[in-house]
Amino acid sequence: MGAAFGLGFIIGPVLGGLFAHFGPRVPFVVAAVLSLCNFLYGLFLVPESLPLERRRPFEWARANAVASLIRLGKYPKIIGLVVALVLLYLAGSATQSVWTFYTILKFHWNERLIGYSLGAVGLGALIVQGGLVRVLMPRLGPARAIVIGLTFYIIGFLLYSFASQGWMMFAITCIYCLGGLAGPALQGSISGQVPPNEQGELQGALTSLVSATGVVGPLFMTSLFAWFTRPRAPLYFPGMPFLVGAGLSVVALLVAAGPLRRLPPAIAAPATPEGSGH
């Protein structure tokens, strides 16, 4: 899934940068058409992935984001990891929300160069999450992968915040993208503590939390950028959102450390006729 996101993050910004030359609204029209194609693909072509034996009766009381979040309390051992994941997504808002403003203000980049640079971020995510994760995760284990990944994120954010030349943003991306080890390891550690018939509810709760960071994170990070780049700012520092992202990653590392030491073995899925031979 991370590799798929990385691939989209390669193609999307590049397309956005190219279509922006035809007008500022054109990239949004293209995005709308792609979203419609995605809807139709899911509606008519994607098969049901949940076997009948793992389904349960539908309940309206459980079919809402708040109920899903409350039910996370049934698994207190994963709460720290969930908080770390939320902090990680909040930190990532610095890159997603401020990159364009930061590179235009500091390096005078145009739309095309911004698209290429975000494509480079996506390429790094594709390489790490599509290749390195499956190679390194079995060797490192989830706990070490989380620690190493968050450490790379911290270093990457710090370097972004103090970059003084445009080419440095491309070079730093090589370090920053190695932080992609942390996300899959965190999500795998969380899902490993939840029974198979509650995985959908867990993923729904995590998606709700990620969506919440998608509301709060951009507003917070762009406000930081605006505050520290205004004419009368007490400290002129465009890289402040990246510096805060580094701080949030440090907190995520500290929050995850305790639960990782106490985490029990993953809950095994019950054997099924289709899967018992694997």
Side-chain angles (χ1 to χ4, degrees):
M1 294 299 294
F5 171 81
L7 184 60
F9 213 73
I10 296 171
I11 301 172
V14 174
L15 287 179
L18 293 175
F19 281 112
H21 288 279
F22 300 101
R25 293 184 175 86
V26 174
F28 295 98
V29 175
V30 175
V33 172
L34 291 174
S35 297
L36 176 62
C37 293
N38 195 30
F39 167 75
L40 295 174
Y41 177 77
L43 183 64
F44 294 111
L45 297 178
V46 176
E48 174 58 63
S49 60
L50 187 64
L52 284 172
E53 64 273 9
R54 293 188 184 174
R55 299 182 194 179
R56 63 186 178 201
F58 177 79
E59 301 175 34
W60 280 108
R62 305 172 73 106
N64 64 83
V66 175
S68 297
L69 292 174
I70 291 174
R71 283 185 174 81
L72 285 177
K74 291 167 51 179
Y75 307 99
K77 290 182 170 137
I78 68 171
I79 296 301
L81 299 179
V82 172
V83 171
L85 188 65
V86 170
L87 291 172
L88 184 59
Y89 276 102
L90 275 176
S93 297
T95 306
Q96 298 166 10
S97 306
V98 179
W99 185 277
T100 299
F101 303 124
Y102 182 71
T103 53
I104 289 175
L105 177 66
K106 201 164 184 179
F107 310 120
H108 309 292
W109 284 5
N110 58 25
E111 296 94 335
R112 182 171 297 180
L113 191 53
I114 291 169
Y116 290 156
S117 66
L118 289 174
V121 175
L123 178 61
L126 176 65
I127 292 171
V128 172
Q129 299 196 19
L132 288 181
V133 164
R134 68 179 66 186
V135 174
L136 295 179
M137 195 75 72
R139 299 181 181 181
L140 296 175
R144 291 177 65 189
I146 291 169
V147 172
I148 292 172
L150 287 173
T151 301
F152 276 117
Y153 270 138
I154 294 166
I155 296 171
F157 279 127
L158 287 174
L159 292 176
Y160 278 146
S161 67
F162 292 102
S164 58
Q165 300 290 331
W167 65 265
M168 293 180 180
M169 300 298 284
F170 286 92
I172 296 166
T173 294
C174 299
I175 298 173
Y176 173 81
C177 287
L178 288 172
L181 290 170
L186 272 170
Q187 291 184 329
S189 298
I190 293 169
S191 63
Q193 304 307 311
V194 176
N197 66 341
E198 296 186 16
Q199 288 292 325
E201 190 172 47
L202 169 68
Q203 297 305 321
L206 294 179
T207 301
S208 297
L209 288 171
V210 170
S211 298
T213 66
V215 175
V216 176
L219 180 62
F220 176 55
M221 293 300 182
T222 53
S223 297
L224 275 177
F225 181 81
W227 180 265
F228 285 95
T229 57
R230 63 194 177 96
R232 296 184 180 179
L235 172 66
Y236 182 82
F237 186 51
M240 182 57 73
F242 294 110
L243 191 61
V244 172
L248 290 171
S249 300
V250 170
V251 176
L253 182 58
L254 296 175
V255 169
L260 286 174
R261 287 194 297 265
R262 299 188 298 268
L263 210 59
I267 296 176
T272 63
E274 294 82 8
S276 57
H278 292 294

